[in-house]
């Protein structure tokens, strides 16, 4: 025992912080206390904690974007090429061949303005739903609010949206200059709150899908065609006015319909359908809240299941 | 001053199967339909097969203490660290932590191969909980610690594994929390870098920080830690001065020495393996050093007279077979004893195995390889980290250099004068 003691004394840390090279942790501020215990089933999001980790969210978003356009010749141009070609095809088939009505707006512009928010939503949800599974190595090794992972997918999609939006502005001014539509007014700034609403909706759906995907990998296969169905259930390539009055309510339940119609209304100065927008706000809010609680509930099992 | 960590009655139960890689909707639906039926038939409990990774672990750590956590693979060390770093939740019990926790369960978490060294420093730092300002302030120190100035703007995928590890550890080493939770991260890189890491760890320990340090390297634990906790099958079995606990751990290790027939692969016919153990210098043991020459003893119940031979398969910890020893190759070594209990002694050659856990399958077979009895992983043992040859070089399974020391004789064959 005495031998053991001698060795132990050698290894004991000095009572006074002797090492000058490293500052001892500060004692002045009150230390945060973390209590780790099994959590009850339904708890709200810890918004304060998410706020403290906001920098990590930025880093994860920045990583997603940087990695996506790494080793590509065209780089971020891809964010424009994708919707542009989709619009070309839609214009050809729906605008020219099928003669789809477009509320008096030139069809390419009409389709592009619908496609932009849609692509943002679709990318955010698709990337978001796979994000947790793809970050398994992080989830099993480090703690941070898991919500940041699907949230960063939304962030990355938002950056793509902003890039593609510049093309919308170009198309827009070109059409206006040719006298095909009126010049945009200040009401165009309303795009910002609409996009925030859309981002929250995308976050809600993304949270839900990503958490389910951790347990049921079926989600990964289901998402692409769910998104496709959703696209046709939303007035993107056709105007909401095309749907008979009797069935309009079905469209209204789809929160995306209200947002995208409002997006176009704001862009082109069309009459706003306030009722369907209000429904969208309520439905999006409900989806986000339910998803946030559900995510919190499933979150604690991620590291064990993923 | 309040203790840094108070752990009380911590339990973690894994439902068997919840670790399964996949569950599908179909399975979930089928299970839901089956449940009431199973419950009716009283099979409810069989559904709930569980593994207790931690059982009622309680301890407290004072600020500034450096505590080592030791134990065999699967003893619950990693689960404990995962709970303390909030990656997974305990099933029961509670842990209270006073102060900012930094956890290092792995170096280089979140490194992205496509990003440059510079980008990865920021990303990894942020993931470990540093703010951007903090990382910027420490950036130069990190780069010079990693000795990678010239490669900062090269994507990490072009790094050698040594460079990668250096960068990863450099970021981790500059994490500056009040409480540091570290899993075996020192077992990386070359010897020189390991020494540097250990030095850094020692420095951190001296700096008055609270450290919880999991390791298999008893030397490191003795050197760095003042106190050690020994976990065995999820229970805290010893808590005391590091030197005492590590010595106890190295001596004991009886758990691994027990015969386990859990993985019997066939219904035994004629001959049944009923017990087995390992001996070293006349004593039962299950923990050996490089170069030891243990024996495997097998007790067999012969029910019917027949000719058979004994075979051993050595597996490394992941279950990969490493070596095979059939007794039947030597013609004279085929048994045909009278019914009763016999004991077979298998003298192993000197162990030239990498440090880590191993298991042995025991097989009683006809010479034409039809099994009379076959028990997979019947015996488990451990090879401790120890120096080989004249130079101190720790040969471990985890280093990815194989499992067997290859005793090659090197000599200079041709020497050119020009």
């Amino acid at each position: 025992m005495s031998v053991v003691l001698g060795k132990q004394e050698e290894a004991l840390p000095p009572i006074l912080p002797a090492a000058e090279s490293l500052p001892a942790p500060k004692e002045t501020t009150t230390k945060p206390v973390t209590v780790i215990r099994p959590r009850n089933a339904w708890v709200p999001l810890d918004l304060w904690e998410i706020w403290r980790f906001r920098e990590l969210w930025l880093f994860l978003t920045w990583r997603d974007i940087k990695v996506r356009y790494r080793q590509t010749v065209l780089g971020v141009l891809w964010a424009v090429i994708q919707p542009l070609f989709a619009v070309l095809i839609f214009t050809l088939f729906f605008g020219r061949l099928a003669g789809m009505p477009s509320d008096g707006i030139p069809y390419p512009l009409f389709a592009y303005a619908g496609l932009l928010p849609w692509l943002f939503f679709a990318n955010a949800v698709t990337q978001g739903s796979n994000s947790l599974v793809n970050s398994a190595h992080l989830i099993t090794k480090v703690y941070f609010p898991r919500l940041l992972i699907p949230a960063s997918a939304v962030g990355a999609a938002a950056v793509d949206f902003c890039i593609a939006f510049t093309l919308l502005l170009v198309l827009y001014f070109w059409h206006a200059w040719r006298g095909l539509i009126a010049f945009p007014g200040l009401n165009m700034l309303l795009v910002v709150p609409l996009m925030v609403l859309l981002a929250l909706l995308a976050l809600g759906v993304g949270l839900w899908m990503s958490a389910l995907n951790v347990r049921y990998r079926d989600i990964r296969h289901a998402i692409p065609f769910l998104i496709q169905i959703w696209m046709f259930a939303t007035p993107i390539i056709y105007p909401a006015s095309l749907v008979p009055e009797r069935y309009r309510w079905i469209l209204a339940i789809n929160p995306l319909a209200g947002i995208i119609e409002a997006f176009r209304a704001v862009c082109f100065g069309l009459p706003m359908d306030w009722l369907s927008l209000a429904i969208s706000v309520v439905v999006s809010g409900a989806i986000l809240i339910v998803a946030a609680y559900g995510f919190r509930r499933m979150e604690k099992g991620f590291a064990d299941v993923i | 001053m309040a203790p840094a960590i108070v752990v009380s009655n911590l339990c973690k139960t894994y439902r068997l199967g919840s670790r399964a890689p996949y569950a599908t909707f179909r399975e979930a639906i089928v299970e839901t339909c089956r449940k009431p039926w199973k419950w009716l038939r009283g099979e409810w409990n069989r559904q709930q097969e569980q593994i207790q990774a931690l059982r009622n672990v309680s301890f407290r750590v004072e600020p500034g203490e450096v505590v080592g956590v030791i134990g065999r693979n699967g003893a619950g060390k990693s689960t404990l660290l995962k709970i303390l770093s909030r990656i997974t939740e305990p099933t029961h019990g509670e842990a209270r932590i006073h102060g900012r926790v930094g956890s290092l369960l792995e170096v280089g978490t979140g490194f992205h191969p496509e990003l440059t060294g510079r980008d990865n420093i920021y990303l990894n730092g942020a993931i470990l909980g540093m703010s951007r300002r903090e990382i910027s302030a420490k950036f130069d120190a990190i780069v010079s610690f990693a000795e990678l100035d010239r490669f900062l703007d090269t994507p990490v995928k072009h790094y050698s594994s040594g460079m990668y590890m250096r960068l990863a550890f450099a970021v981790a080493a500059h994490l500056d929390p009040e409480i540091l939770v570290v899993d075996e991260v020192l077992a990386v890189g070359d010897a020189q870098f390991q020494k540097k890491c250990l030095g850094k760890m020692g420095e951190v320990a001296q700096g008055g920080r609270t450290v919880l340090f999991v390791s298999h390297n008893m030397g490191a634990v003795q050197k760095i830690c003042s106190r050690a906790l020994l976990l065995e099958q999820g229970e805290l079995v010893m808590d005391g001065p590091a030197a005492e606990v590590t010595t106890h751990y190295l001596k004991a290790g009886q758990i691994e020495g027990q015969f386990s027939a859990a993985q019997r692969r066939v219904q035994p016919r004629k001959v049944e393996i009923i017990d087995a153990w390992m001996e070293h210098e006349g004593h039962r043991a299950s923990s050996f050093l490089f170069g030891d020459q243990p024996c495997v003893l097998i007790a067999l119940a012969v029910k019917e007279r027949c000719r058979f031979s004994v075979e051993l398969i050595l597996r490394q910890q992941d279950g990969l077979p490493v070596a095979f020893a059939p007794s039947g190759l030597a013609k004279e070594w085929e048994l045909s004893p009278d019914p009763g209990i016999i004991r077979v002694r298998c003298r192993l050659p000197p162990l030239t195995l990498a440090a880590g856990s191993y298991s042995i399958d025991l097989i009683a077979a006809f010479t034409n390889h039809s099994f009379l009895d076959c028990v997979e992983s019947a015996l488990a043992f451990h090879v401790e980290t120890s120096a080989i040859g004249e130079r101190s070089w720790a040969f471990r399974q985890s280093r990815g250099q194989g499992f067997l020391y290859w005793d090659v004789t090197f000599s200079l064959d041709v020497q050119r004068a020009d």
Side-chain angles (χ1 to χ4, degrees):
Chain A
M1 187 63 201
S2 58
V3 183
V4 172
L5 261 179
K7 207 159 184 186
Q8 179 207 350
E9 259 168 17
E10 210 179 82
L12 267 176
I15 297 149
L16 289 169
E20 263 87 11
S21 57
L22 272 171
K26 291 180 203 82
E27 296 286 346
T28 47
T29 49
T30 48
K31 290 178 183 174
V33 179
T34 319
V35 180
I36 300 164
R37 60 155 74 103
R39 216 162 39 186
N40 291 331
W42 301 101
V43 278
L45 283 179
D46 188 346
L47 291 175
W48 168 237
E49 189 182 42
I50 291 167
W51 173 248
R52 276 195 298 126
F53 277 92
R54 64 193 182 280
E55 266 191 2
L56 182 57
W57 174 71
L58 284 175
F59 271 117
L60 290 175
T61 302
W62 164 80
R63 177 200 66 178
D64 282 356
I65 297 192
K66 209 152 183 180
V67 168
R68 193 177 317 160
Y69 297 119
R70 193 105 218 170
Q71 268 195 20
T72 56
V73 179
L74 297 177
V76 288
L77 269 182
W78 280 110
V80 181
I81 293 169
Q82 248 184 322
L84 190 64
F85 275 82
V87 163
L88 285 179
I89 291 164
F90 290 154
T91 307
L92 186 66
F93 285 96
F94 296 107
R96 289 286 147 84
L97 296 180
M100 184 77 77
S102 53
D103 288 344
I105 314 292
Y107 189 82
L109 198 54
F110 173 85
Y112 195 75
L115 209 60
L116 267 195
W118 164 257
L119 275 181
F120 160 70
F121 178 80
N123 283 338
V125 169
T126 314
Q127 310 271 357
S129 62
N130 286 323
S131 61
L132 283 177
V133 173
N134 292 343
S135 304
H137 58 288
L138 288 185
I139 289 170
T140 53
K141 296 293 179 197
V142 178
Y143 174 78
F144 53 86
R146 297 339 187 178
L147 179 135
L148 293 182
I149 298 176
S152 73
V154 177
V159 174
D160 278 355
F161 169 82
C162 291
I163 296 163
F165 190 75
T166 54
L167 182 70
L168 178 69
L169 289 180
V170 171
L171 278 176
Y172 200 88
F173 279 101
W174 187 60
H175 278 94
W177 180 67
R178 282 175 48 194
L180 293 171
I181 50 167
F183 267 101
L186 275 179
N187 54 357
M188 192 128 182
L189 288 177
L190 285 174
V191 163
V192 177
L194 281 175
M195 287 314 292
V196 171
L197 178 63
L198 188 57
L200 291 178
L201 176 63
L203 180 64
V205 179
L207 282 180
W208 219 335
M209 291 302 134
S210 62
L212 279 177
N213 199 7
V214 169
R215 194 170 277 272
Y216 307 107
R217 300 291 152 94
D218 307 72
I219 298 295
R220 168 172 289 185
H221 306 289
I223 282 288
F225 79 81
L226 276 183
I227 287 288
Q228 210 158 15
I229 293 170
W230 204 337
M231 173 167 163
F232 287 103
T234 308
I236 295 162
I237 50 176
Y238 58 88
S241 54
L242 193 73
V243 180
E245 200 76 51
R246 276 185 301 154
Y247 300 118
R248 228 26 105 62
W249 64 271
I250 302 181
L251 216 53
I253 301 175
N254 173 6
L256 264 177
I259 299 175
I260 287 183
E261 276 291 301
F263 186 89
R264 264 203 291 244
V266 163
C267 282
F268 305 126
L270 301 172
M272 192 78 131
D273 186 350
W274 290 106
L275 178 65
S276 80
L277 183 61
I279 294 174
S280 296
V281 171
V282 172
V283 174
S284 304
I287 288 180
L288 183 62
I289 290 170
V290 174
Y293 273 90
F295 189 85
R296 278 290 267 183
R297 187 178 153 78
M298 291 190 265
E299 181 184 50
K300 56 182 183 175
F302 285 170
D304 299 337
V305 177
I306 206 160
Chain B
M1 200 160 31
I5 305 173
V6 182
V7 171
S8 35
N9 295 318
L10 215 57
C11 296
K12 175 76 186 179
T13 311
Y14 283 110
R15 268 218 346 267
L16 215 69
S18 78
R19 269 257 166 215
Y22 266 18
T24 59
F25 267 138
R26 191 178 61 85
E27 282 164 25
I29 292 163
V30 170
E31 273 312 302
T32 321
C33 299
R34 272 188 191 159
K35 260 180 193 167
W37 179 240
K38 284 202 166 164
W39 186 67
L40 276 178
R41 292 199 314 199
E43 284 180 16
W44 185 254
N45 283 329
R46 242 173 49 199
Q47 267 271 286
Q48 308 272 343
E49 245 184 304
Q50 291 171 336
I51 295 182
Q52 283 219 294
L54 281 183
R55 302 166 209 243
N56 283 320
V57 172
S58 304
F59 61 89
R60 54 198 285 160
V61 178
E62 300 300 328
E65 248 187 321
V66 181
V67 180
V69 181
I70 57 177
R72 306 246 174 261
N73 289 328
K77 298 170 305 220
S78 298
T79 307
L80 178 64
L81 290 204
K82 278 190 174 177
I83 291 174
L84 291 182
S85 44
R86 299 178 66 195
I87 290 162
T88 183
E89 263 190 6
T91 319
H92 294 294
E94 174 185 291
R96 237 168 231 278
I97 299 175
H98 296 253
R100 214 180 120 195
V101 185
S103 65
L104 273 183
L105 299 200
E106 176 191 70
V107 289
T109 308
F111 263 37
H112 201 288
E114 295 285 347
L115 297 178
T116 64
R118 184 190 304 277
D119 292 347
N120 269 312
I121 290 178
Y122 276 95
L123 184 64
N124 186 227
I127 286 170
L128 292 178
M130 288 192 244
S131 69
R132 202 173 42 168
R133 201 186 303 164
E134 227 176 315
I135 304 167
S136 297
K138 288 176 184 159
F139 191 82
D140 292 333
I142 291 172
V143 174
S144 69
F145 187 88
E147 301 162 18
L148 285 171
D149 320 48
R150 289 194 301 125
F151 304 101
L152 263 188
D153 294 307
T154 312
V156 166
K157 65 177 172 183
H158 299 307
Y159 280 24
S160 72
S161 57
M163 286 156 71
Y164 185 94
M165 279 303 166
R166 284 213 305 272
L167 184 67
F169 189 85
V171 182
H174 290 80
L175 193 63
D176 202 17
E178 286 141 341
I179 299 166
L180 190 61
V181 175
V182 193
D183 204 347
E184 191 109 59
V185 286
L186 302 174
V188 296
D190 51 39
Q192 200 195 343
F193 191 68
Q194 273 193 28
K195 217 171 154 189
K196 199 169 167 182
C197 296
L198 268 177
K200 184 79 191 173
M201 280 291 297
E203 218 177 290
V204 168
Q206 296 270 303
R209 240 165 291 269
T210 313
V211 183
L212 212 59
F213 174 52
V214 162
S215 182
H216 283 115
N217 184 342
M218 293 305 130
V221 172
Q222 286 182 357
K223 207 162 166 186
I224 295 175
C225 306
S226 54
R227 183 178 147 202
L229 308 173
L230 174 59
L231 289 177
E232 240 169 52
Q233 294 179 327
E235 273 174 287
L236 180 63
V237 292
M238 200 175 173
D239 177 357
E244 221 171 281
V245 178
T246 48
T247 321
H248 172 84
Y249 167 73
L250 286 176
K251 273 191 193 150
Q254 278 301 343
I255 349 110
E256 282 196 332
Q258 264 155 29
F259 173 67
S260 147
Q263 298 193 53
R264 176 163 258 132
R265 288 289 168 243
V266 295
Q267 190 65 40
R269 302 178 290 150
K270 297 179 187 173
V271 175
E272 185 181 348
I273 298 164
I274 52 171
D275 194 11
W277 64 93
M278 291 178 85
E279 273 186 18
H280 179 54
E281 291 172 350
H283 300 287
R284 274 190 179 223
S286 67
S287 183
F288 307 99
L289 294 174
F290 188 92
D292 279 358
Q293 206 173 351
C295 292
V296 173
L297 287 112
I298 312 169
L300 298 137
V302 181
K303 295 165 194 159
E304 206 179 301
R305 199 183 166 91
C306 64
R307 290 161 61 87
F308 70 96
S309 64
V310 174
E311 295 172 357
L312 309 178
I313 297 174
L314 176 71
R315 292 178 189 271
Q316 51 82 280
Q317 58 196 17
D318 302 329
L320 203 70
V322 177
F324 178 53
S327 71
L329 284 184
K331 251 290 166 250
E332 69 279 11
W333 224 96
E334 251 175 37
L335 293 166
S336 52
D338 293 324
I341 291 176
I342 61 161
R343 201 164 84 187
V344 175
R345 176 180 288 268
C346 322
R347 191 167 169 73
L348 307 186
L351 292 177
T352 52
L353 295 170
S357 297
Y358 294 88
S359 65
I360 299 179
D361 299 357
L362 302 177
I363 298 162
F366 279 129
T367 29
N368 61 2
H369 288 284
S370 83
F371 294 158
L372 294 173
D373 194 2
C374 167
V375 183
E376 260 179 46
S377 297
L379 279 174
F381 67 96
H382 202 80
V383 176
E384 298 296 340
T385 313
S386 48
I388 301 171
E390 293 148 34
R391 288 163 194 263
S392 143
W393 171 63
F395 181 36
R396 288 189 207 96
Q397 282 192 22
S398 53
R399 294 183 67 139
Q401 292 165 325
F403 316 108
L404 265 180
Y405 171 69
W406 202 6
D407 197 4
V408 173
T409 310
F410 296 93
S411 63
L412 196 60
D413 201 20
V414 177
Q415 189 170 29
R416 281 181 198 274
D418 54 55

